[in-house]
mmCIF file of all heavy atoms in Angstrom:
data_model
loop_
_atom_site.group_PDB
_atom_site.id
_atom_site.type_symbol
_atom_site.label_atom_id
_atom_site.label_comp_id
_atom_site.label_asym_id
_atom_site.label_seq_id
_atom_site.Cartn_x
_atom_site.Cartn_y
_atom_site.Cartn_z
ATOM 1 N N LEU B 205 21.270 15.894 32.751
ATOM 2 C CA LEU B 205 20.087 16.756 32.815
ATOM 3 C C LEU B 205 19.152 16.372 33.916
ATOM 4 O O LEU B 205 18.515 17.251 34.512
ATOM 5 C CB LEU B 205 19.377 16.758 31.471
ATOM 6 C CG LEU B 205 20.196 17.277 30.276
ATOM 7 C CD1 LEU B 205 19.462 17.034 28.974
ATOM 8 C CD2 LEU B 205 20.505 18.758 30.449
ATOM 9 N N HIS B 206 18.989 15.062 34.170
ATOM 10 C CA HIS B 206 18.020 14.687 35.189
ATOM 11 C C HIS B 206 18.669 14.173 36.465
ATOM 12 O O HIS B 206 17.985 13.727 37.365
ATOM 13 C CB HIS B 206 17.016 13.672 34.626
ATOM 14 C CG HIS B 206 17.645 12.349 34.231
ATOM 15 N ND1 HIS B 206 18.024 12.085 32.965
ATOM 16 C CD2 HIS B 206 17.915 11.231 34.949
ATOM 17 C CE1 HIS B 206 18.497 10.859 32.897
ATOM 18 N NE2 HIS B 206 18.452 10.320 34.087
ATOM 19 N N GLU B 207 20.010 14.222 36.476
ATOM 20 C CA GLU B 207 20.686 13.797 37.717
ATOM 21 C C GLU B 207 21.330 14.959 38.439
ATOM 22 O O GLU B 207 22.294 14.795 39.172
ATOM 23 C CB GLU B 207 21.740 12.740 37.352
ATOM 24 C CG GLU B 207 21.090 11.424 36.913
ATOM 25 C CD GLU B 207 22.115 10.316 36.697
ATOM 26 O OE1 GLU B 207 23.341 10.593 36.764
ATOM 27 O OE2 GLU B 207 21.683 9.179 36.461
ATOM 28 N N GLY B 208 20.780 16.181 38.146
ATOM 29 C CA GLY B 208 21.219 17.330 38.922
ATOM 30 C C GLY B 208 22.461 18.028 38.407
ATOM 31 O O GLY B 208 22.994 18.925 39.043
ATOM 32 N N SER B 209 22.969 17.590 37.247
ATOM 33 C CA SER B 209 24.175 18.217 36.720
ATOM 34 C C SER B 209 23.886 19.029 35.451
ATOM 35 O O SER B 209 24.700 19.085 34.546
ATOM 36 C CB SER B 209 25.223 17.117 36.401
ATOM 37 O OG SER B 209 25.535 16.406 37.538
ATOM 38 N N HIS B 210 22.749 19.659 35.436
ATOM 39 C CA HIS B 210 22.347 20.412 34.236
ATOM 40 C C HIS B 210 23.306 21.575 33.976
ATOM 41 O O HIS B 210 23.526 21.942 32.839
ATOM 42 C CB HIS B 210 20.912 20.864 34.331
ATOM 43 C CG HIS B 210 20.581 21.430 35.704
ATOM 44 N ND1 HIS B 210 20.148 20.619 36.743
ATOM 45 C CD2 HIS B 210 20.632 22.688 36.174
ATOM 46 C CE1 HIS B 210 19.960 21.378 37.804
ATOM 47 N NE2 HIS B 210 20.233 22.617 37.490
ATOM 48 N N ASP B 211 23.868 22.147 35.027
ATOM 49 C CA ASP B 211 24.817 23.243 34.780
ATOM 50 C C ASP B 211 26.024 22.749 34.037
ATOM 51 O O ASP B 211 26.548 23.409 33.117
ATOM 52 C CB ASP B 211 25.253 23.881 36.113
ATOM 53 C CG ASP B 211 24.156 24.721 36.721
ATOM 54 O OD1 ASP B 211 23.253 25.152 35.962
ATOM 55 O OD2 ASP B 211 24.186 24.934 37.944
ATOM 56 N N ARG B 212 26.492 21.587 34.431
ATOM 57 C CA ARG B 212 27.649 20.999 33.743
ATOM 58 C C ARG B 212 27.281 20.694 32.297
ATOM 59 O O ARG B 212 28.070 20.915 31.370
ATOM 60 C CB ARG B 212 28.068 19.699 34.468
ATOM 61 C CG ARG B 212 29.272 18.994 33.823
ATOM 62 C CD ARG B 212 30.532 19.715 34.094
ATOM 63 N NE ARG B 212 31.677 18.982 33.494
ATOM 64 C CZ ARG B 212 32.541 19.520 32.633
ATOM 65 N NH1 ARG B 212 32.390 20.782 32.239
ATOM 66 N NH2 ARG B 212 33.528 18.797 32.150
ATOM 67 N N ALA B 213 26.032 20.211 32.117
ATOM 68 C CA ALA B 213 25.598 19.915 30.745
ATOM 69 C C ALA B 213 25.589 21.170 29.898
ATOM 70 O O ALA B 213 26.029 21.182 28.755
ATOM 71 C CB ALA B 213 24.191 19.274 30.790
ATOM 72 N N ARG B 214 25.090 22.226 30.485
ATOM 73 C CA ARG B 214 25.017 23.492 29.766
ATOM 74 C C ARG B 214 26.423 23.982 29.418
ATOM 75 O O ARG B 214 26.706 24.469 28.344
ATOM 76 C CB ARG B 214 24.243 24.527 30.592
ATOM 77 C CG ARG B 214 23.762 25.722 29.765
ATOM 78 C CD ARG B 214 22.926 26.690 30.596
ATOM 79 N NE ARG B 214 21.821 26.035 31.267
ATOM 80 C CZ ARG B 214 21.621 26.044 32.569
ATOM 81 N NH1 ARG B 214 22.454 26.669 33.383
ATOM 82 N NH2 ARG B 214 20.592 25.409 33.086
ATOM 83 N N GLU B 215 27.289 23.888 30.370
ATOM 84 C CA GLU B 215 28.676 24.354 30.163
ATOM 85 C C GLU B 215 29.334 23.557 29.043
ATOM 86 O O GLU B 215 29.964 24.129 28.148
ATOM 87 C CB GLU B 215 29.431 24.138 31.473
ATOM 88 C CG GLU B 215 30.908 24.549 31.446
ATOM 89 C CD GLU B 215 31.629 23.999 32.661
ATOM 90 O OE1 GLU B 215 30.992 23.671 33.679
ATOM 91 O OE2 GLU B 215 32.866 23.836 32.584
ATOM 92 N N LEU B 216 29.138 22.267 29.082
ATOM 93 C CA LEU B 216 29.753 21.426 28.026
ATOM 94 C C LEU B 216 29.129 21.713 26.677
ATOM 95 O O LEU B 216 29.827 21.743 25.658
ATOM 96 C CB LEU B 216 29.626 19.956 28.378
ATOM 97 C CG LEU B 216 30.617 19.424 29.362
ATOM 98 C CD1 LEU B 216 30.217 18.019 29.830
ATOM 99 C CD2 LEU B 216 32.023 19.391 28.769
ATOM 100 N N ALA B 217 27.807 21.875 26.643
ATOM 101 C CA ALA B 217 27.131 22.168 25.375
ATOM 102 C C ALA B 217 27.640 23.469 24.795
ATOM 103 O O ALA B 217 27.859 23.596 23.568
ATOM 104 C CB ALA B 217 25.626 22.227 25.573
ATOM 105 N N GLY B 218 27.899 24.448 25.659
ATOM 106 C CA GLY B 218 28.469 25.699 25.183
ATOM 107 C C GLY B 218 29.873 25.506 24.635
ATOM 108 O O GLY B 218 30.244 26.075 23.598
ATOM 109 N N ALA B 219 30.637 24.670 25.297
ATOM 110 C CA ALA B 219 32.006 24.410 24.828
ATOM 111 C C ALA B 219 31.968 23.720 23.477
ATOM 112 O O ALA B 219 32.792 23.982 22.586
ATOM 113 C CB ALA B 219 32.747 23.537 25.856
ATOM 114 N N VAL B 220 31.023 22.839 23.340
ATOM 115 C CA VAL B 220 30.889 22.103 22.062
ATOM 116 C C VAL B 220 30.567 23.068 20.916
ATOM 117 O O VAL B 220 31.196 23.049 19.867
ATOM 118 C CB VAL B 220 29.792 21.036 22.204
ATOM 119 C CG1 VAL B 220 29.217 20.634 20.862
ATOM 120 C CG2 VAL B 220 30.332 19.821 22.962
ATOM 121 N N ARG B 221 29.617 23.923 21.166
ATOM 122 C CA ARG B 221 29.260 24.879 20.128
ATOM 123 C C ARG B 221 30.409 25.829 19.860
ATOM 124 O O ARG B 221 30.684 26.208 18.703
ATOM 125 C CB ARG B 221 27.975 25.612 20.501
ATOM 126 C CG ARG B 221 26.756 24.716 20.443
ATOM 127 C CD ARG B 221 25.448 25.488 20.344
ATOM 128 N NE ARG B 221 24.391 24.593 19.876
ATOM 129 C CZ ARG B 221 23.666 23.808 20.664
ATOM 130 N NH1 ARG B 221 23.847 23.802 21.964
ATOM 131 N NH2 ARG B 221 22.750 22.989 20.166
ATOM 132 N N GLY B 222 31.041 26.263 20.909
ATOM 133 C CA GLY B 222 32.170 27.184 20.760
ATOM 134 C C GLY B 222 33.314 26.590 19.965
ATOM 135 O O GLY B 222 34.058 27.316 19.321
ATOM 136 N N ALA B 223 33.426 25.267 20.012
ATOM 137 C CA ALA B 223 34.497 24.604 19.272
ATOM 138 C C ALA B 223 34.112 24.364 17.812
ATOM 139 O O ALA B 223 34.892 23.784 17.055
ATOM 140 C CB ALA B 223 34.809 23.259 19.933
ATOM 141 N N GLY B 224 32.912 24.825 17.449
ATOM 142 C CA GLY B 224 32.509 24.709 16.048
ATOM 143 C C GLY B 224 31.853 23.392 15.697
ATOM 144 O O GLY B 224 31.729 23.064 14.511
ATOM 145 N N VAL B 225 31.431 22.655 16.691
ATOM 146 C CA VAL B 225 30.770 21.373 16.413
ATOM 147 C C VAL B 225 29.337 21.637 15.983
ATOM 148 O O VAL B 225 28.649 22.470 16.565
ATOM 149 C CB VAL B 225 30.773 20.504 17.682
ATOM 150 C CG1 VAL B 225 29.973 19.210 17.467
ATOM 151 C CG2 VAL B 225 32.209 20.186 18.118
ATOM 152 N N GLU B 226 28.904 20.950 14.953
ATOM 153 C CA GLU B 226 27.481 21.004 14.580
ATOM 154 C C GLU B 226 26.739 20.046 15.467
ATOM 155 O O GLU B 226 27.042 18.843 15.514
ATOM 156 C CB GLU B 226 27.274 20.631 13.121
ATOM 157 C CG GLU B 226 25.792 20.699 12.722
ATOM 158 C CD GLU B 226 25.516 20.323 11.280
ATOM 159 O OE1 GLU B 226 26.490 20.059 10.531
ATOM 160 O OE2 GLU B 226 24.338 20.289 10.901
ATOM 161 N N VAL B 227 25.762 20.561 16.201
ATOM 162 C CA VAL B 227 25.023 19.732 17.123
ATOM 163 C C VAL B 227 23.602 19.531 16.603
ATOM 164 O O VAL B 227 22.908 20.495 16.295
ATOM 165 C CB VAL B 227 24.956 20.389 18.541
ATOM 166 C CG1 VAL B 227 24.120 19.532 19.475
ATOM 167 C CG2 VAL B 227 26.359 20.603 19.094
ATOM 168 N N LEU B 228 23.204 18.279 16.505
ATOM 169 C CA LEU B 228 21.837 17.957 16.091
ATOM 170 C C LEU B 228 21.149 17.306 17.280
ATOM 171 O O LEU B 228 21.548 16.214 17.704
ATOM 172 C CB LEU B 228 21.858 16.986 14.894
ATOM 173 C CG LEU B 228 22.576 17.474 13.629
ATOM 174 C CD1 LEU B 228 22.641 16.366 12.597
ATOM 175 C CD2 LEU B 228 21.903 18.707 13.051
ATOM 176 N N THR B 229 20.130 17.973 17.795
ATOM 177 C CA THR B 229 19.373 17.365 18.876
ATOM 178 C C THR B 229 18.032 16.884 18.349
ATOM 179 O O THR B 229 17.604 17.284 17.267
ATOM 180 C CB THR B 229 19.146 18.357 20.018
ATOM 181 O OG1 THR B 229 18.564 19.557 19.479
ATOM 182 C CG2 THR B 229 20.451 18.723 20.707
ATOM 183 N N GLY B 230 17.377 16.076 19.146
ATOM 184 C CA GLY B 230 16.166 15.430 18.635
ATOM 185 C C GLY B 230 16.492 14.615 17.437
ATOM 186 O O GLY B 230 15.676 14.396 16.541
ATOM 187 N N ALA B 231 17.720 14.133 17.392
ATOM 188 C CA ALA B 231 18.255 13.422 16.206
ATOM 189 C C ALA B 231 18.679 12.013 16.638
ATOM 190 O O ALA B 231 19.673 11.870 17.338
ATOM 191 C CB ALA B 231 19.413 14.193 15.630
ATOM 192 N N ALA B 232 17.919 11.040 16.171
ATOM 193 C CA ALA B 232 18.178 9.664 16.577
ATOM 194 C C ALA B 232 18.954 8.931 15.498
ATOM 195 O O ALA B 232 18.549 8.911 14.343
ATOM 196 C CB ALA B 232 16.857 8.938 16.836
ATOM 197 N N ALA B 233 20.080 8.360 15.887
ATOM 198 C CA ALA B 233 20.873 7.568 14.919
ATOM 199 C C ALA B 233 20.129 6.247 14.687
ATOM 200 O O ALA B 233 19.806 5.528 15.623
ATOM 201 C CB ALA B 233 22.277 7.308 15.465
ATOM 202 N N LEU B 234 19.860 5.942 13.426
ATOM 203 C CA LEU B 234 19.040 4.770 13.102
ATOM 204 C C LEU B 234 19.872 3.537 12.836
ATOM 205 O O LEU B 234 19.428 2.423 13.133
ATOM 206 C CB LEU B 234 18.212 5.071 11.853
ATOM 207 C CG LEU B 234 17.255 6.242 11.939
ATOM 208 C CD1 LEU B 234 16.578 6.476 10.579
ATOM 209 C CD2 LEU B 234 16.220 6.019 13.012
ATOM 210 N N GLY B 235 21.021 3.728 12.279
ATOM 211 C CA GLY B 235 21.796 2.553 11.887
ATOM 212 C C GLY B 235 23.138 2.951 11.329
ATOM 213 O O GLY B 235 23.360 4.090 10.925
ATOM 214 N N TYR B 236 23.998 1.964 11.301
ATOM 215 C CA TYR B 236 25.350 2.160 10.779
ATOM 216 C C TYR B 236 25.456 1.336 9.505
ATOM 217 O O TYR B 236 25.301 0.096 9.554
ATOM 218 C CB TYR B 236 26.344 1.656 11.827
ATOM 219 C CG TYR B 236 27.781 1.960 11.515
ATOM 220 C CD1 TYR B 236 28.414 3.076 12.057
ATOM 221 C CD2 TYR B 236 28.510 1.117 10.682
ATOM 222 C CE1 TYR B 236 29.733 3.347 11.780
ATOM 223 C CE2 TYR B 236 29.853 1.398 10.386
ATOM 224 C CZ TYR B 236 30.456 2.507 10.952
ATOM 225 O OH TYR B 236 31.744 2.788 10.654
ATOM 226 N N TYR B 237 25.695 2.012 8.426
ATOM 227 C CA TYR B 237 25.694 1.335 7.115
ATOM 228 C C TYR B 237 27.062 1.545 6.473
ATOM 229 O O TYR B 237 27.247 2.453 5.660
ATOM 230 C CB TYR B 237 24.590 1.901 6.224
ATOM 231 C CG TYR B 237 23.207 1.825 6.792
ATOM 232 C CD1 TYR B 237 22.691 2.817 7.592
ATOM 233 C CD2 TYR B 237 22.374 0.746 6.481
ATOM 234 C CE1 TYR B 237 21.405 2.756 8.110
ATOM 235 C CE2 TYR B 237 21.076 0.683 6.957
ATOM 236 C CZ TYR B 237 20.612 1.700 7.797
ATOM 237 O OH TYR B 237 19.326 1.631 8.291
ATOM 238 N N ASP B 238 28.027 0.700 6.801
ATOM 239 C CA ASP B 238 29.337 0.785 6.160
ATOM 240 C C ASP B 238 29.880 2.203 6.179
ATOM 241 O O ASP B 238 30.293 2.741 5.147
ATOM 242 C CB ASP B 238 29.260 0.323 4.698
ATOM 243 C CG ASP B 238 29.088 -1.184 4.619
ATOM 244 O OD1 ASP B 238 29.513 -1.875 5.578
ATOM 245 O OD2 ASP B 238 28.508 -1.680 3.632
ATOM 246 N N GLY B 239 29.868 2.827 7.325
ATOM 247 C CA GLY B 239 30.452 4.138 7.465
ATOM 248 C C GLY B 239 29.436 5.256 7.307
ATOM 249 O O GLY B 239 29.734 6.406 7.629
ATOM 250 N N LEU B 240 28.252 4.953 6.838
ATOM 251 C CA LEU B 240 27.217 5.965 6.743
ATOM 252 C C LEU B 240 26.275 5.770 7.926
ATOM 253 O O LEU B 240 25.807 4.639 8.137
ATOM 254 C CB LEU B 240 26.449 5.838 5.430
ATOM 255 C CG LEU B 240 25.366 6.893 5.144
ATOM 256 C CD1 LEU B 240 25.156 7.021 3.642
ATOM 257 C CD2 LEU B 240 24.038 6.538 5.803
ATOM 258 N N VAL B 241 26.026 6.828 8.650
ATOM 259 C CA VAL B 241 25.092 6.716 9.776
ATOM 260 C C VAL B 241 23.846 7.511 9.390
ATOM 261 O O VAL B 241 23.947 8.704 9.045
ATOM 262 C CB VAL B 241 25.717 7.259 11.071
ATOM 263 C CG1 VAL B 241 24.668 7.272 12.179
ATOM 264 C CG2 VAL B 241 26.893 6.395 11.481
ATOM 265 N N ALA B 242 22.731 6.853 9.427
ATOM 266 C CA ALA B 242 21.462 7.528 9.132
ATOM 267 C C ALA B 242 20.908 8.090 10.435
ATOM 268 O O ALA B 242 20.836 7.358 11.430
ATOM 269 C CB ALA B 242 20.471 6.566 8.512
ATOM 270 N N VAL B 243 20.541 9.343 10.424
ATOM 271 C CA VAL B 243 20.028 9.997 11.639
ATOM 272 C C VAL B 243 18.710 10.676 11.304
ATOM 273 O O VAL B 243 18.626 11.469 10.363
ATOM 274 C CB VAL B 243 21.043 11.077 12.120
ATOM 275 C CG1 VAL B 243 20.490 11.829 13.313
ATOM 276 C CG2 VAL B 243 22.378 10.417 12.487
ATOM 277 N N ARG B 244 17.717 10.360 12.075
ATOM 278 C CA ARG B 244 16.419 10.991 11.810
ATOM 279 C C ARG B 244 16.228 12.167 12.756
ATOM 280 O O ARG B 244 16.352 12.022 13.985
ATOM 281 C CB ARG B 244 15.256 10.006 12.029
ATOM 282 C CG ARG B 244 13.932 10.672 11.741
ATOM 283 C CD ARG B 244 12.771 10.114 12.490
ATOM 284 N NE ARG B 244 11.600 10.968 12.368
ATOM 285 C CZ ARG B 244 10.467 10.761 12.998
ATOM 286 N NH1 ARG B 244 10.300 9.691 13.749
ATOM 287 N NH2 ARG B 244 9.457 11.593 12.845
ATOM 288 N N GLN B 245 15.922 13.299 12.182
ATOM 289 C CA GLN B 245 15.620 14.511 12.965
ATOM 290 C C GLN B 245 14.320 15.076 12.429
ATOM 291 O O GLN B 245 14.327 15.791 11.418
ATOM 292 C CB GLN B 245 16.748 15.531 12.872
ATOM 293 C CG GLN B 245 16.580 16.723 13.760
ATOM 294 C CD GLN B 245 17.684 17.755 13.579
ATOM 295 O OE1 GLN B 245 18.125 17.975 12.459
ATOM 296 N NE2 GLN B 245 18.091 18.395 14.651
ATOM 297 N N GLY B 246 13.224 14.709 13.051
ATOM 298 C CA GLY B 246 11.936 15.187 12.593
ATOM 299 C C GLY B 246 11.649 14.633 11.196
ATOM 300 O O GLY B 246 11.555 13.425 10.995
ATOM 301 N N SER B 247 11.511 15.521 10.261
ATOM 302 C CA SER B 247 11.197 15.083 8.893
ATOM 303 C C SER B 247 12.432 14.989 8.012
ATOM 304 O O SER B 247 12.311 14.800 6.799
ATOM 305 C CB SER B 247 10.187 16.063 8.271
ATOM 306 O OG SER B 247 10.760 17.349 8.196
ATOM 307 N N VAL B 248 13.577 15.109 8.615
ATOM 308 C CA VAL B 248 14.828 15.070 7.822
ATOM 309 C C VAL B 248 15.571 13.818 8.145
ATOM 310 O O VAL B 248 15.721 13.423 9.317
ATOM 311 C CB VAL B 248 15.709 16.308 8.171
ATOM 312 C CG1 VAL B 248 17.028 16.206 7.396
ATOM 313 C CG2 VAL B 248 14.977 17.573 7.792
#
Side-chain angles (χ1 to χ4, degrees):
Chain B
L205 298 172
H206 64 265
E207 290 186 353
S209 301
H210 43 274
D211 288 337
R212 180 74 178 124
R214 197 176 306 122
E215 179 194 339
L216 278 170
V220 157
R221 289 200 162 86
V225 174
E226 179 180 357
V227 178
L228 301 174
T229 53
L234 301 176
Y236 188 97
Y237 303 88
D238 289 333
L240 183 155
V241 174
V243 176
R244 181 208 168 184
Q245 186 184 37
S247 61
V248 176

